[in-house]
Structures are given as structure tokens and as C-alpha cells.
Amino acid sequence: MAKLDLDGIFPPIPTPFIKEKVAYDKLASNVERWNTTGLKGFVVLGSNGEYVSLSEEEKRAVVDTVVQSADDEMLVIAGTGCESTTETVRLTEDCAKLGADAALVVSPHYYGGRMNETALVKHYTTIADQSPMPILLYNVPKFTHINLAAGLVARLSEHPNIIGLKDSAGNVIQLGEIINAVASDFNVLVGTAGVLFSALTIGCVGGINALANVAPKQCVAILERVKAGDLDAARKMQLKMIPVNQAVTVVYGVPGLKAALDMLGYFGGAPRLPLLPSSKREKSEIEAILRKADLLP
Amino acid sequence: MAKLDLDGIFPPIPTPFIKEKVAYDKLASNVERWNTTGLKGFVVLGSNGEYVSLSEEEKRAVVDTVVQSADDEMLVIAGTGCESTTETVRLTEDCAKLGADAALVVSPHYYGGRMNETALVKHYTTIADQSPMPILLYNVPKFTHINLAAGLVARLSEHPNIIGLKDSAGNVIQLGEIINAVASDFNVLVGTAGVLFSALTIGCVGGINALANVAPKQCVAILERVKAGDLDAARKMQLKMIPVNQAVTVVYGVPGLKAALDMLGYFGGAPRLPLLPSSKREKSEIEAILRKADLLP
Amino acid sequence: MAKLDLDGIFPPIPTPFIKEKVAYDKLASNVERWNTTGLKGFVVLGSNGEYVSLSEEEKRAVVDTVVQSADDEMLVIAGTGCESTTETVRLTEDCAKLGADAALVVSPHYYGGRMNETALVKHYTTIADQSPMPILLYNVPKFTHINLAAGLVARLSEHPNIIGLKDSAGNVIQLGEIINAVASDFNVLVGTAGVLFSALTIGCVGGINALANVAPKQCVAILERVKAGDLDAARKMQLKMIPVNQAVTVVYGVPGLKAALDMLGYFGGAPRLPLLPSSKREKSEIEAILRKADLLP
Amino acid sequence: MAKLDLDGIFPPIPTPFIKEKVAYDKLASNVERWNTTGLKGFVVLGSNGEYVSLSEEEKRAVVDTVVQSADDEMLVIAGTGCESTTETVRLTEDCAKLGADAALVVSPHYYGGRMNETALVKHYTTIADQSPMPILLYNVPKFTHINLAAGLVARLSEHPNIIGLKDSAGNVIQLGEIINAVASDFNVLVGTAGVLFSALTIGCVGGINALANVAPKQCVAILERVKAGDLDAARKMQLKMIPVNQAVTVVYGVPGLKAALDMLGYFGGAPRLPLLPSSKREKSEIEAILRKADLLP
């Protein structure tokens, strides 16, 4: 199986809802607009896609919608991680049939205390053995409360069908350790846009970043400036984007990301309950942050 | 709606698997055996039931099996908490139709950082408003990484359809704070058998305890001795059971609980992947612990 | 060396300051008042005594003052734990010379990541080997961020000069594990008054509790009611004291404890910087809590 | 007061002990050797200097020794943070008299729960107001369990006598937030050598790094290559140094740092108890790591 080249910026796109139902048309129109912004592709069913609040049927329909709406040259990576290994295999197969290019598999985590290296190796290799498409590991301790350390990533990277990692730990030392430990064609992508510049300069090939939903061109610019050796411009853009990234991640979360999308002409809408939409005060703070970063006219 | 009286011991029963498939017959035979041990009822689809690894269809079939197998006077409480509020409502309705007596609703937790009091009140009251059967809150920070504090519990306890709480935080101060804050007919049950004695003496009405799967009579004895005012006997039984409880919870987890059940004549079997079965060495340690506690001949 | 019998209630007394200087006369008058309240003795230089903000010279003078002011039959336990083993030995020797009856030795913690069982055994046995007075272990994860687990406590309890433990982890399961693991003459004292009742009923001999500074008679009453088998009265007093205890520990800290003492006719005063005194609003909240618990007229 | 320019690499030097006593001659000879390696100066009495295990008298003697041994153009920064504000002021004054150029003041942390922004601002401004030499903030959550966030640092950076920060949080996003928030002449130094390259490229002026004790020239090379715009060389050196840095910090701690120094011709020796020296096995692992990084012949 030829390895995919993932050197680029991918937004983990939110799932739009109207009155608690998935708004597939809004999803499609968002994707069509993102098509023109220089992104390498899309991640669907990630943490920002509220995958934990979607039924299996909705998950398949979301992947289908994005595959149909994305430009041909754009990659579609589907979040297929479930708590159970078997369910993950099944959803991965389904998403492959729907045309996804790769699967992003979050670590199982409810029984976090038992997710030692042996269990995680068994889980991921079982999936990778059976998956018709390549697998990316997904490390997001903020949500899972477990960490996929460099040693484990290196071990799993030797599987021919595990082609990369999204690491959202925000730990640049760990990114360095991983880059030291894996082969050069293993795709290490950073999941935390606040360190996109640092991740790229230490050796990551790209990013899967909530920020890329609201500031796709700016994320792409950081990548291109780093590639071009124009560190100063890249650094300045990174520093400018840090407050925006904090806003759409740790400070205001998925509701804030959706509120920001609404301000930027995309469809954001309300998250599915139990997530509450941003309050008026929060929206006003988000707007000020977007404005200060020159993302609003 | 008349409030249920939950003063007793409930085991959160494991879901048996054979080659990754739910073994409903083994589940039924386990329940039939537990019927004779003095328990007040059963909790199905809890953390020990690997609810996160079951499909909706399996969840319904598990509840159906237990409702059919449980003695008439025994209560069946179904774990119906999902990440999404709407999905929780739907599953709660399904389980009520299948004959469950109450629902145990774990706090949503993937977006733990956003699960503030407002979000949790909205989530739980939405469910309680729509549920045809009474609701119990389920606080299990070990797995969810969020805590339902006494103030929130007190506030939710005022809802007529929220009749109790399973608190697995293991924090006896918090149990005291909750008992201080709720009405006397609100059922506070402790989820951590290592403090069953202390929880009962401070004012809990019962327990939902992994330990009650493997030592039902001993858990019931602690409750009865406390009720009878024979503190010394209750205390001694509690101290004797602490190592067993640690074994089937924090030390060896759900796999260890299942291994212990196998040793005791129940069907335990292997957990569903990604959980790995206990190793030979672990099983031997568990056996020694059971033997020392006089649970094995 | 004859083992001390520590079955009773000890307040870990605050160190009074006036304009940042230790107010020894206020300390003495506080002690004289506490002498009449049924306490078993005093702990000086504990966390509530701001020991980390006292010079060695001040520490010795504080111990001297309390030894002189305490009634003859009352025990004086001095907090002598320092980060360095040698410095702890020296301070322990000094306090013994000044007339302290035992030393309470907090675990070293700055290099918490290296404080494994081997290091802690070496630290504590070195101190116990050289100390002219008996040693109590002091486990306070809230401040030290490390935990002295039951296995370590059991191992150290075999040293003839280590006679007990103050466990402020607030974890009643762990108290049970410790009581299971140590000889019956090893003094297990609970450091968290919110579980004083539960600790005593599970087998602790007494308590070293911030609450005992402001509610000494109530703490003593809990102990005496438990001893007398009047569980209901003990339980009611415990539940009544929980809000007061939370106030003078986690909610308002040492400054709140001192504010409460001022309201109760003791000298509390301001803590030493960097601790700030309670604000007006906080004092008003503390007063309401004391009043509700019938500690103020 | 003219602001110091701290753009360079500083090792936080260990304090050598022989049989638990400070070996001042070994300290001097170490410093003399480091004088020739391109470093900007020295930090004494930091976490790697076991400052928590030194008496006040020893602290002064250590500073005196280093001031005497350091080359004239090298800066000497003394760690003067104590738990009490007043004690910190006094030690800062003493160290200034002994010839130190600046003070590095770790956040007080024993009462971490009370170290809110108000308390920390009061603490640091009290010290800065009275200090005869400039102050650097020291943020080291690994040891203190509290974090000095960007907003607080920005606020404190406005004090004319607070000239910089050592941030050992290892969080590159936070470094970016701080750089966004402070004036350009405020010295932001990174305390975690695993992200030295990333910190410098995002805008830090230098580093105070345990690694600089054992690999001073390599740390200086990373700084110089970044300044020269040779990112690739800097990045490669950073990646090569990550395993060494992990070894002398999180993996083997201060004992490991001292063991590495012994292997490299400096005097390392044993730490003071309760820290235990590295075991034979650990030393052999450290040696292999040093060798692989070309630090040993």
C-alpha cells in the first residue's frame, strides 16, 4: 500500500446541527468554501466534529457528504476510533467504502488505567491489520487523559498500514522524541495550532488544527513560510494566531469554534447537547479576538 | 411518580463475552445465581458492564436478558448515559420499555472542560423531564475525569424524577456534604466498596459495588450489620473485603473482576478488546486474594 | 522506648504573627485556652503552623513556647520535617531537647518524582535511627503532591522509633488498608476532620485536625461518642462540622482558620506573606458558617 | 536601574557534596571549567542546585564561591526564592552583597491552592521593591505544582526591577503567549532544554538549562545557529540533545545530572539525602545516552 503524503494543513471540521439534527447541506457548503483556501484536505469525525455525539448512521452520512463535497485532490481523513476494537474496525471499513482516504483512530480511553502499551499495541495492530485504508494514530490527552508516548508511537509506526500520527498533546519535546524515533516517511502531524510553527520547524509534515477551520490561509501561510525558510514571517503569523487558537480550543471549546465560524461566513450553529452554545458575552469576546487578529473586516 | 427505595446492595454486573460476542445465556445464568444472595437488584450497562463497548442493540438485549432473568422483587437499573443528551433520552426510553426500573446516567465527559454546572443541569434535567422512569446520577471521576460536586447534586435532587446518586468518587467527605444537602428520601448510594461501611454509617442507603459481584453476601452483611448496630462486625467485614475490592477495581480492573467470577463459579470470561484478559500471573494473585478473604474453599 | 498512646484529638496550631513577627505571647495565651477543652495535646510546626515560613530559630522558640504553655499532661508533637534528611535530624534533636514528646515528619517533596519507596525508607529510617524521641510519619498529598501508600507505611511501622502516622490524604480506603497492614499499637491518626468520624469507626485512634483549633470540644465529642458506641450522635456532630472543616481547610485555608480563631476569642491574626489575610467578604462567609454550626453565640 | 541583557545560555549548576557536606573546592573547579565553554553565566541555588536542602549559611557560601570562580564577564544569577516573602527579601539582599548580578525567584508553592494572582503579585512586587538587584521570575510547575500564566507574567513584567523569567513549564504555547504579552526588553528564558530550539525560534533570548551543565557547547551552538539563521543545524543539534536532556531531567533527575558530570570530567558526586545517587544500572544507561550523543569519547 502506497503511503499517503500528508504534508499540509487539515481542519478537523465541526459537524453542523440545526435543532439537534445534522445539517448536511451546511456541512457541504462549508466544505465547498474551504476547498478554495489552500488546505490539503479534511478531517471529519474528530473531536471538533463532536464524533462522540453522533450515531453510526450519522457518522457514515457525514463522511459521505464530505467526500462528495471536497475537491478531488483533497484528502478526506475520517475519525473512526470507538472504545471497542471491533466497532472501530467496522466503522473504518464503512468509511473506506464511502471514499475516505485514511482513518484517524483516537486511543480508547474510558478504561484509561488499563490502556498500557500491550493493550494499545493489540488495539491498533488489530485495526491496522484489517483496515482497507491507512491508519493514523490520534493522541489527544486533553480529552482522553492518556498519552501515546514516543516509544509506543515508534513501535506502531513499523506497521505498514499505520502511516502517521496526529499528536495534540501540545508537547514539543514529545514531538521531537517521536521524530527522532520514527522513519522519515511516517507522517507526524501536530494537532495543536498554538505550536504549529514549532512543530513544523522541529520536523512535523503538517497540522490538523481547529484553527484551520477559522484561519485556513494563515495556517497554510505558516507552513509555506517555514518551507520557504522565511522563519520570521512564519513566527509572526504564529504569534498573531495564538490568541485565536486559544479561543477556539481551550478557552471557548467547540461552541466557540462554531461561533467563530458563524462570524466568518461559514455555518457554525449550536453544538449538540450537552455542549451549550457560546453566550453573548463569549461571542463578543471571540469577535474581539478575531478582529484583533485581522480575521474580520 | 413514587420514589423507589434503593436501600440495599446492587452489583454493577459485567457483560459476558465469548469470542467478542455477548453471551446472553451466561448473563442469564449469572443473574439467576445472584438472585439467591440477598441483593436488592442489579445494575446493568455500568462501567463494569463495558457499556462503552456495546452497540445500542446489544445494550437493549442485555437489559432485556437481565429483566427476564432477575427475580420479580429485584430492581433492574440500566446505565443509559451517552455523550449526547438526545441519545441518552432515547436509550432511557428504550430501557424503560424493556422493563428497567430506573436509569443510571453517567455524566457526559469527553468535553469535560465544558461540563460546568449549567451544562450538567441542562443535560440531566432534559433527560429527567422526558424519562418514563426515575433517574439516578452517576459520578465516577476515575473514568470521567469530572466530579459531580455536592452543590450540583443537591440542585438536581430537587427534580421529581431524579431520585438518587451513585457516587464512585471514593470521597467520604463529599458523601457527607451530599447527605447534608439533599432531602432524606433522595437515595445516595456509594459506588466504592472500599468505603461501603463508612458510606453507610455516614448516611448512604446502599451501595452499587463491583465487589458485590464476587462477594454479594459479604456486602449485604456489612449493610445488615450496620443497620443492626453491630458496628464491630461490619467494620471487620469491611476491612477483610478491602483487598478483594481493590483487586476487582483499581488493581486488576474489569478483566480482574471477570477472572474472579470465573474462580467463583460464575461466568466471567474475557473482556471485549481493547481490554485484555488478566494474565496467568494476575489470575494467580487474584486467587490468592480471594482465598485469603475466605471467598474460595 | 515505650510507645506513646496518641488516642485523642490534637490541633495543629497556627503560628500567630503581628506585623510578620511571631507573637509568642499570643501563642501562649491560645495554648492556655486550648488546655481546657479536652484535647490530648498539640501539634506545632505543622502545615497550619506555616512551618515553611519559619526560620530554624523561630521554630525552636515556637516549640519552647508551646511546651511551656501546655498543661503537663498534654503531649507536644513538633513538626520537624525539612527537605534534607540531615536538617530534619538536627531539628528533631533540637525539639526533643526543648521538651517535645514526638516529632511529626512530613515527607520531603520538592523532588517528588524521585521520592520512591527506597528513598523514603532511607529518609525516614535515617531520622528514626537518630531521633531521641518517637517519630510520626506525615502524609499530606494536598501540599506535598506525593502519597505515602499503605505498603510503605506498613514497612516503616516496623521501625521501633516510628510510632504512628498522620494521614491527611482524606482517603478512607487507604486508612483501612493501613489499619489492615500495621500492628495494633501503631498510632494511625487522621489529618482530615471531614472524615474524623469515619476514620475513628474504621480504626484510627485519633485525629490531628485543623478543625480542632476552632471546634476542639466538638472534635473531642465525636471521638468520645464513637468510643461510647453512640454512633448516631457522633455522626450528627460530624455532619454538622463538615462545612466548618471545609471552611478552615480547602476553602479559605490557613488565613481562614486564623480569621475563625479571631471570631472565637483566640488570637488568629494575619498569616505571614505570601499568604494573604482573608478578605472582608471571606470573613463574613466564615462567620456565617461558624454561626450555622453553633460555634458562635 | 539598567536592565541586564541575558541573551545566552546559563547552566543551573548543581551543588557538589562530599559525605553530605558542600564541597566548595569542587564547585569552584567545576565553574572554572565551565568558564571556557561559551556560557553567558551561571545560575546557582536553582532546583538542580538542591537549594531546598541548603541552609542559609551554605547558600551564601555557594554564591560567594561561584562569584569568586566565575570569569569577570560572566553573570551570576542566584536562586533566592523561599516560601516566605520576608525571607526571600533577606536572602536576595545577602546574595546581592556577595556580588550576584540578579536573583531568580521561584514561586512560593507549599500553599499552592492560595497562590492566586493577587498573592503572587504581592509576593513578587514586595521582593522587587526591596531588592538591590534585578529579579527574574521562576516558573517550574514540575516542582511547584503551580503555573505562572502569561497574564501574571505580563503584569509583573511592568515592574522596573523584574527583568525576566525562567519558564520551565515546557509549554511552547505559553512561551508564545508570554512573548506576545511582554515588552521586547523583558528577558524570557526557557528552562526546558528539550525545547531550547523551539523557544529561541519563537522569541526567547536564552536558556537556563540543566543540559547546559553537561553539554554547554551544544546548547550554545543551538543558540548561535538560530541567531545565524542556520535552522537546520540548530534543529539537528536539538534533536540529538533531546535524549540527553530527558536523561538529566525527568528520567534520572539531579542524581543523574551529577552522574553525567562525573563521566564528563566535572565533579558530580552524590546528591544530599533524601535524594539517592544513581544506581549502577542507571549510570550505565546514562553513559550509553551520553555516548550516543557524542558527548563521551
Side-chain angles (χ1 to χ4, degrees), chain A residues 133-178:
Chain A
M133 63 180 167
I135 297 295
L136 282 99
L137 311 173
Y138 180 18
N139 184 38
V140 59
K142 178 174 99 169
F143 293 128
T144 63
H145 306 277
I146 66 170
N147 182 50
L148 305 184
L152 171 64
V153 171
R155 195 170 155 192
L156 289 170
S157 75
E158 292 174 8
H159 191 290
N161 207 22
I162 298 179
I163 65 158
L165 162 76
K166 174 187 181 184
D167 189 353
S168 299
N171 180 343
V172 179
I173 300 178
Q174 180 165 285
L175 288 176
E177 291 183 301
I178 291 168

Side-chain angles (χ1 to χ4, degrees), chain C residues 20 47 50 83 86 110-111 274, chain D residues 20 47 83 86 110-111 274:
Chain C
E20 291 276 314
S47 300
E50 294 172 72
E83 279 295 324
T86 303
Y110 192 75
Y111 304 105
Chain D
E20 291 277 314
S47 299
E83 279 296 323
T86 304
Y110 193 74
Y111 304 105

Side-chain angles (χ1 to χ4, degrees), chain C residues 118-138:
Chain C
T118 309
L120 289 167
V121 165
K122 174 77 173 171
H123 177 73
Y124 277 115
T125 54
T126 302
I127 295 161
D129 285 349
Q130 298 182 54
S131 169
M133 64 180 165
I135 298 295
L136 282 99
L137 311 173
Y138 180 18

Side-chain angles (χ1 to χ4, degrees), chain A residues 42-100:
Chain A
F42 299 99
V43 167
V44 287
L45 308 180
S47 300
N48 288 291
E50 294 172 73
Y51 82 95
V52 292
S53 291
L54 299 175
S55 70
E56 281 203 25
E57 194 182 337
E58 289 171 332
K59 286 181 179 179
R60 285 189 295 260
V62 162
V63 170
D64 190 41
T65 301
V66 174
V67 167
Q68 300 305 325
S69 315
D71 271 358
D72 285 355
E73 73 276 20
M74 296 188 81
L75 296 171
V76 176
I77 302 172
T80 64
C82 305
E83 279 296 323
S84 118
T85 309
T86 303
E87 195 180 346
T88 306
V89 168
R90 194 174 57 235
L91 182 59
T92 305
E93 289 171 343
D94 288 353
C95 291
K97 280 179 202 152
L98 291 165

Side-chain angles (χ1 to χ4, degrees), chain B residues 3 25 44 68-69 71 83 113 119 142 149 154 157 176 193 254 260 276 297:
Chain B
K3 292 213 173 176
D25 57 333
V44 286
Q68 301 305 325
S69 315
D71 271 357
E83 279 295 323
K142 179 174 98 169
S157 75
V254 174
L276 299 177

Side-chain angles (χ1 to χ4, degrees), chain B residues 241-259:
Chain B
M241 287 300 122
I242 283 179
V244 183
N245 183 61
Q246 294 295 89
V248 298
T249 58
V250 293
V251 183
Y252 305 105
V254 174
L257 173 61
K258 291 188 155 185

Side-chain angles (χ1 to χ4, degrees), chain A residues 20 47 50-53 83-86 108-111 114-115 118-119 123 143 145 251-253 255 273-276, chain B residues 20 47 50-53 83-86 108-111 114 118-119 123 143 145 251-253 255 273-276:
Chain A
E20 290 277 313
S47 300
E50 294 172 73
Y51 82 95
V52 292
S53 291
E83 279 296 323
S84 118
T85 309
T86 303
H109 48 273
Y110 193 76
Y111 304 105
R114 306 214 73 73
M115 291 300 103
T118 308
H123 177 73
F143 293 128
H145 306 277
V251 183
Y252 304 105
L273 288 173
L275 286 176
L276 299 176
Chain B
E20 290 277 315
S47 300
E50 293 172 74
Y51 81 95
V52 292
S53 292
E83 279 295 323
S84 119
T85 309
T86 303
H109 49 273
Y110 193 75
Y111 304 106
R114 306 214 72 73
T118 309
H123 176 73
F143 294 129
H145 305 277
V251 183
Y252 305 105
L273 288 174
L275 286 176
L276 299 177

